[in-house]
Amino acid sequence: MPASILEETRSLFEAAAARAGAAALLQCPSCGSVHVAQVLGDNGGVSYVCTACGHSWS
């Protein structure tokens, strides 16, 4: 059993990445991080924001 929630989420992320393959992960075009959230953009479109550096794009 993991000692912390961070260890638990890290292992879940690694397992998901292994199943999906690295090519399926969305990466931030600014910093390359895979910590990206999908958000509702202007006029109902889809936008993304990097939770590592704060860069946003659509």
Side-chain angles (χ1 to χ4, degrees), residues 2 5-17 19:
I5 191 71
L6 292 176
E7 289 179 27
E8 178 68 17
T9 56
R10 185 178 311 118
S11 66
L12 290 173
F13 180 76
E14 289 170 355
R19 284 192 306 269

Side-chain angles (χ1 to χ4, degrees), residues 28 31 48-57:
C28 173
C31 72
Y48 304 94
V49 63
C50 176
T51 58
C53 74
H55 178 76
S56 61
W57 69 100

